[in-house]
Amino acid sequence: MHLFSLVPLAFVATSLLAIVRAAPVTANDPYLGGLTFDYFHTKVRGVNLGGWFVLEPWITPSIFEQLASNPAVKDEYTYTQALGKAEAYRRLSQHWNSWITQDDFNQIARAGLNHVRIPIGYWAVAPLPGEPYVQGQLAVLDQAIGWARAAGLKVLLDLHGAPGSQNGFDNSGRLGPINWQQGNTVSQTLDAIKALARRYASASDVVTSIELLNEPLPAAGAAFLDTTKDFYKAGYSAIRAINTETVVVIHDAFQGVGAWQGFLSPPTAGVTHVMLDTHQYQIFDGGQIGLSPSQHVSAACGLSGQLSGADKWTVVGEWTGAQTDCAKWLNGLGRGARYDGTLPGFSATGSCAGKYTGTVAALSADDKSNLRHFIEAQLDAYESRTGWFFWTWKTESAPEWDMQDLLNNGIFPQPLTSRKYPGQCK
């Protein structure tokens, strides 16, 4: 999840049905027979399992509460650093083994979803000496692959954090400067990718895709982006050397879908099974936080044209029902929100009552209606191409973001093709 958004506000009048088939990437992909999910003709309908193997203070604030008064603690790196390895492992092992279980996978499947995206940090796969992170995640991830198989779900493994931090966000593992691409960090990231690909090469019936890196942020400009592209090519080759069937997923690095036309696009130079991931949030800048509910809907609908024109499989790998940034610590541990003016530098747009912490059931009738309108519009828009992954499956107390709670309270459509407000994107 990123802390700003580049969503265009132009409205594209497009009528969409959930059953519409994706435009083929190529006229005929000779390698399709090796895949266990037909990404040409079946929509990806998925959810992220956020806050499980990569901590985010806003998803599980209880994990950070005891250390919230320590100004040095901001993320998983500083959390484990403050506790020490023994205590950090004790606490996090308990979390890994309880936050998501087989029952969650079963609920996800019963809701009609067919994929989960599982974020994991490099430190779980290829840890570096001298860092405070603790390990043990992979044993639980191995179990999760079995849970997914039993539930009939496919898995996208997402490398969510790279050495040095690829974006400076707390969800990369370490809040602060972007030091990915410094020193040996790119080769170390490739080591993590290779380790993931090798470990799950024999599980390609479930692990259909691996995302090379979540949300690299080219703050350093063109040179950073060029190196990111070189990394993507190297990552593609590394996975292909291990498994010819795995879909290789690349993030759009906040450049937008159109910027990646012609890059690793099948069938160029023998390239196969590449998917683009774009993330869409409308709450992380001062302009978008002030949009009305109907403007949020229009902005979502306007994305369908960009998506449908992509020259490779394209998913919206993160999106939310939230139209505010009110959730406790969403903008960082101890930080406020743009929406109610508690984040320095922003004036209040509205109240965060019921949305700072709470449940879907306790939201106002207007909030529930706005959530349903917005979710339905996004489902229609994002299925104009390959599909979507909602962020996130569950939280401790963030009702606008909690798919499990939204489903249980009739806000997220059931079945997924049901529309209470049809035709919003016409």
Side-chain angles (χ1 to χ4, degrees):
M1 186 197 67
H2 62 82
L3 300 184
F4 66 94
S5 175
L6 299 177
V7 179
L9 301 182
F11 178 80
V12 177
T14 305
S15 178
L16 299 168
L17 292 174
I19 60 173
V20 173
R21 291 168 58 165
V25 176
T26 66
N28 179 35
D29 182 350
Y31 298 95
L32 182 59
L35 292 174
T36 58
F37 187 88
D38 184 356
Y39 290 99
F40 285 123
H41 305 125
T42 307
K43 297 302 181 187
V44 172
R45 292 169 176 159
V47 66
N48 287 273
L49 303 183
W52 191 11
F53 299 126
V54 178
L55 294 183
E56 299 195 35
W58 72 273
I59 296 177
T60 54
S62 67
I63 289 178
F64 286 85
E65 287 284 3
Q66 185 181 351
L67 299 175
S69 61
N70 181 343
V73 175
K74 299 294 182 184
D75 47 39
E76 186 162 343
Y77 185 99
T78 52
Y79 175 86
T80 54
Q81 188 177 53
L83 290 175
K85 284 188 178 286
E87 180 62 14
Y89 175 78
R90 185 188 72 80
R91 296 189 189 193
L92 290 183
S93 179
Q94 184 179 43
H95 169 69
W96 300 329
N97 284 283
S98 60
W99 180 243
I100 300 290
T101 67
Q102 174 76 73
D103 184 57
D104 289 289
F105 281 80
N106 294 343
Q107 289 181 51
I108 289 166
R110 285 198 299 269
L113 299 167
N114 51 35
H115 278 69
V116 291
R117 180 173 179 259
I118 303 181
I120 194 156
Y122 75 90
W123 56 89
V125 185
L128 299 177
E131 294 192 335
Y133 295 117
V134 295
Q135 288 70 51
Q137 302 92 327
L138 289 182
V140 184
L141 180 57
D142 291 346
Q143 283 188 298
I145 303 309
W147 297 338
R149 181 179 288 112
L153 296 168
K154 304 303 182 185
V155 172
L156 187 165
L157 293 179
D158 153 44
L159 193 69
H160 215 70
S165 179
Q166 73 277 16
N167 52 34
F169 304 156
D170 60 6
N171 55 65
S172 71
R174 194 166 191 183
L175 180 71
I178 301 172
N179 288 322
W180 186 64
Q181 300 188 3
Q182 303 300 311
N184 296 322
T185 54
V186 172
S187 63
Q188 291 163 346
T189 308
L190 286 170
D191 289 342
I193 289 296
K194 292 174 188 175
L196 278 177
R198 285 192 211 99
R199 190 178 188 96
Y200 298 108
S202 63
S204 59
D205 61 314
V206 177
V207 181
T208 57
S209 48
I210 295 176
E211 185 155 1
L212 297 177
L213 188 58
N214 179 70
E215 297 185 345
L217 176 60
F224 184 99
L225 190 58
D226 288 344
T227 301
T228 300
K229 290 179 177 180
D230 290 341
F231 163 73
Y232 283 167
K233 292 175 182 177
Y236 173 85
S237 297
I239 290 178
R240 279 291 163 271
I242 297 165
N243 193 326
T244 60
E245 300 171 357
T246 304
V247 175
V248 178
V249 184
I250 59 173
H251 186 264
D252 71 357
F254 306 111
Q255 302 304 295
V257 171
W260 297 91
Q261 297 286 88
F263 180 83
L264 287 179
S265 300
T268 302
V271 170
T272 61
H273 303 160
V274 174
M275 180 180 290
L276 182 65
D277 174 21
T278 184
H279 296 173
Q280 299 298 333
Y281 297 107
Q282 298 182 24
I283 55 174
F284 291 120
D285 69 47
Q288 292 183 324
I289 200 67
L291 295 179
S292 69
S294 64
Q295 287 174 322
H296 280 295
V297 166
S298 294
C301 291
L303 290 164
S304 59
Q306 293 182 45
L307 295 169
S308 63
D311 68 357
K312 58 180 68 67
W313 295 326
T314 301
V315 293
V316 178
E318 293 186 20
W319 61 281
T320 177
Q323 298 180 37
T324 78
D325 63 337
C326 288
K328 179 180 179 179
W329 297 344
L330 178 63
N331 295 303
L333 184 63
R335 290 167 62 82
R338 296 167 186 81
Y339 192 74
D340 67 356
T342 55
L343 188 68
F346 292 89
S347 300
T349 296
S351 170
C352 283
K355 296 187 280 290
Y356 178 70
T357 61
T359 64
V360 173
L363 291 172
S364 70
D366 282 347
D367 283 338
K368 292 176 182 177
S369 174
N370 291 336
L371 276 166
R372 178 76 184 227
H373 275 90
F374 192 35
I375 288 170
E376 287 189 9
Q378 291 183 89
L379 291 174
D380 286 345
Y382 303 160
E383 291 200 2
S384 64
R385 198 63 179 99
T386 310
W388 48 267
F389 292 83
F390 186 84
W391 188 280
T392 184
W393 171 241
K394 65 197 300 186
T395 72
E396 289 181 342
S397 58
E400 296 179 290
W401 298 80
D402 192 314
M403 188 182 200
Q404 184 182 54
D405 200 12
L406 291 164
L407 283 164
N408 290 339
N409 284 275
I411 305 301
F412 211 102
Q414 286 289 279
L416 296 171
T417 54
S418 174
R419 294 293 179 266
K420 191 173 181 180
Y421 308 107
Q424 292 187 96
C425 289
K426 287 183 178 178

